[in-house]
Amino acid sequence: MYDSLINVNGNQVPTLDLLLILTIISLLPSLLVMVTSFARTVIILSFLRNAMGVQQTPPNMVLIGIAVFLTLYIMDPVIKQINTEAYTPYKNQEITQEEAIKRAQVPLKEFMLSNTDKGTVELFADMADAEEVEQVQDLPMTVVIPAFMTSELKRGFSAGFLLYIPFLLIDIVVSSTLMSMGMMMLPPAMISLPFKLLLFVTVNGWELLFSSIVNSFNIP
């Protein structure tokens, strides 16, 4: 069974290689989420929704759609570089599959490392007992990806904290006002929600948020 060959596009592919390719394809969406700006973007959008107190508005599908297209916008220079240096030569049969993968890793590494804290990279390099390299770009993806993911989570939660502050102040003011008026049975969240929405719309919150997310990424 393992020695059998399967014909794919006129080429003989061993069964084990085919299974490996299918496994990589099945994991590709998750890997792409982890090596792009998607994770930080969707975390920030989720924090914003919770801070405003609107649990289901916008719905998850809308948030994911916004995160996907913002990711495409942010990653456009990287995607173009991968297409020019790796995919197009491979499609034209100018380079091998292994060489195409190596070339595709270069712009991804540059993007991830430019948005990763140096201390985080050193931490994962030490835990992996990675060999010392002259340039940080020479580190393996098994070190760069978890370091990038950790930095993205840290920055996403930091941005979420900053988003909570103005809405938290509104909650405090509304709660204090209701208590001073003796209306303790009235839920403060019900009164503060319209003021939160008014604040967000008045400052043109969506454009401000999207521009802040885009500008927070370093594009090499």
Side-chain angles (χ1 to χ4, degrees):
M1 174 181 176
Y2 295 119
D3 295 332
S4 62
L5 300 177
I6 298 179
N7 188 282
V8 179
N9 294 330
N11 297 321
Q12 298 296 325
V13 181
T15 304
L16 286 179
D17 289 348
L18 182 61
L19 291 176
L20 178 61
I21 293 173
L22 292 176
T23 302
I24 294 175
I25 292 175
S26 65
L27 295 176
L28 192 59
S30 299
L31 291 174
L32 290 178
V33 166
M34 293 296 101
V35 301
T36 64
S37 59
F38 179 87
R40 188 199 304 186
T41 303
V42 77
I43 288 172
I44 293 174
L45 294 175
S46 299
F47 267 114
L48 172 66
R49 185 174 65 179
N50 292 331
M52 293 180 65
V54 284
Q55 299 300 324
Q56 298 298 328
T57 306
N60 290 332
M61 184 176 296
V62 175
L63 290 186
I64 293 174
I66 293 172
V68 167
F69 280 96
L70 281 177
T71 299
L72 291 175
Y73 182 83
I74 295 170
M75 300 296 297
D76 183 63
V78 179
I79 294 173
K80 288 181 177 177
Q81 187 176 353
I82 293 175
N83 180 64
T84 302
E85 299 180 0
Y87 177 71
T88 300
Y90 174 70
K91 183 179 65 175
N92 296 333
Q93 298 182 349
E94 298 174 0
I95 58 176
T96 62
Q97 183 179 17
E98 291 76 11
E99 180 65 23
I101 294 175
K102 289 181 181 179
R103 292 189 181 186
Q105 289 181 6
V106 174
L108 277 177
K109 275 187 180 180
E110 291 178 352
F111 171 78
M112 287 188 288
L113 290 171
S114 64
N115 291 280
T116 304
D117 297 332
K118 182 179 179 181
T120 306
V121 176
E122 294 176 352
L123 171 65
F124 280 93
D126 291 339
M127 288 194 298
D129 291 329
E131 297 180 358
E132 293 187 4
V133 294
E134 296 181 358
Q135 296 182 347
V136 69
Q137 288 82 2
D138 296 331
L139 287 170
M141 293 293 281
T142 52
V143 172
V144 176
I145 292 178
F148 173 73
M149 290 166 50
T150 304
S151 293
E152 288 296 281
L153 290 173
K154 175 183 176 182
R155 293 177 181 179
F157 275 72
S158 299
F161 169 77
L162 296 176
L163 285 172
Y164 257 95
I165 293 177
F167 299 113
L168 180 61
L169 292 177
I170 294 177
D171 284 333
I172 293 173
V173 171
V174 170
S175 298
S176 300
T177 303
L178 292 177
M179 290 185 63
S180 64
M181 296 174 63
M183 303 174 65
M184 291 178 290
M185 298 300 294
L186 186 63
M190 183 182 300
I191 306 301
S192 62
L193 179 58
F195 292 100
K196 292 178 182 179
L197 295 176
L198 178 62
L199 172 65
F200 191 71
V201 173
T202 301
V203 300
N204 204 359
W206 288 116
E207 290 188 9
L208 183 61
L209 178 66
F210 292 162
S211 62
S212 298
I213 291 175
V214 172
N215 292 328
S216 67
F217 286 92
N218 298 318
I219 308 297

